[in-house]
Amino acid sequence: MFLIFVMYNITSIQIKTMRAIIQRVKHARVEVGGEVVGRIGEGMLVLLGAGKDDTELDAEYLAEKILTLRIFEDTESKMNLSVTDTGGSVLVVSQFTLYGDCRKGRRPSFDKAAPPELAEELYELFVRELRERGVNVETGKFRAMMDVHLVNSGPVTLMLDSKREF
């Protein structure tokens, strides 16, 4: 019998993940060129970023996770309800800067962000997944310069990624 040991240099393994920042909001809106393109009342603002190795499975996982995340208060003021439980809405804004790497130098590197074509495909899939589950979804405009306005309720702000690193 032979035993084979394989050692990995952990620092050389780079796990790619789709990332999201979720904020529980009283209301939020996104503007492009001074025009409102998406607006919600109570619900979630989701800033969504795709990495260059992300797949449809990453988008589907995050959509399911976000819709079932219990960050809204029940009658006993405990975070026990999801956005679907409350009938809230979701505003999704693409944000490639979630992949900004600031560890070296003074300017962020975005090498790990997905190319625009892949990012847009995954962004659209994510939005479609939310809508197919019956949630009211508004969006920003992909690849546009946007102004995002929100009133964070709580405040509650969470980070998620499809590989469950945080």
Side-chain angles (χ1 to χ4, degrees):
M1 176 188 293
F2 292 98
L3 293 175
I4 299 174
F5 292 95
V6 179
M7 295 183 69
Y8 291 97
N9 179 352
I10 297 298
T11 59
S12 68
I13 298 174
Q14 294 184 359
I15 299 173
K16 307 298 184 199
T17 62
M18 194 165 196
R19 297 176 178 172
I21 303 294
I22 295 97
Q23 294 183 302
R24 185 177 74 182
V25 298
K26 291 185 178 185
H27 54 85
R29 74 179 187 276
V30 61
E31 298 175 358
V32 175
E35 178 184 334
V36 175
V37 296
R39 178 191 311 262
I40 64 166
E42 187 176 345
M44 292 178 167
L45 169 65
V46 177
L47 304 174
L48 185 71
K52 59 182 164 184
D53 292 333
D54 287 340
T55 68
E56 291 180 357
L57 292 176
D58 295 294
E60 292 166 356
Y61 167 79
L62 274 185
E64 177 65 26
K65 182 71 172 182
I66 287 168
L67 287 183
T68 58
L69 202 58
R70 297 184 309 169
I71 65 169
F72 293 90
E73 295 178 354
D74 63 14
T75 56
E76 297 176 12
S77 298
K78 292 187 180 185
M79 284 198 240
N80 262 337
L81 303 174
S82 69
V83 71
T84 55
D85 295 331
T86 65
S89 300
V90 179
L91 175 60
V92 183
V93 177
S94 63
Q95 180 129 16
F96 80 95
T97 59
L98 292 179
Y99 278 87
D101 184 348
C102 300
R103 292 177 290 180
K104 294 182 182 178
R106 294 190 175 128
R107 183 186 324 206
S109 167
F110 299 103
D111 292 342
K112 295 178 184 174
E117 300 77 24
L118 173 60
E120 186 170 17
E121 178 183 320
L122 293 172
Y123 171 81
E124 294 296 337
L125 172 62
F126 176 83
V127 169
R128 197 167 45 251
E129 288 287 323
L130 297 180
R131 287 182 173 145
E132 286 176 0
R133 289 172 170 78
V135 176
N136 177 47
V137 179
E138 295 284 321
T139 64
K141 185 175 179 187
F142 193 84
R143 293 187 81 180
M145 180 61 81
M146 295 176 272
D147 294 325
V148 180
H149 305 264
L150 68 133
V151 174
N152 191 320
S153 176
V156 175
T157 301
L158 302 166
M159 301 182 300
L160 291 179
D161 71 86
S162 57
K163 300 296 187 271
R164 302 168 203 148
E165 291 181 341
F166 51 79

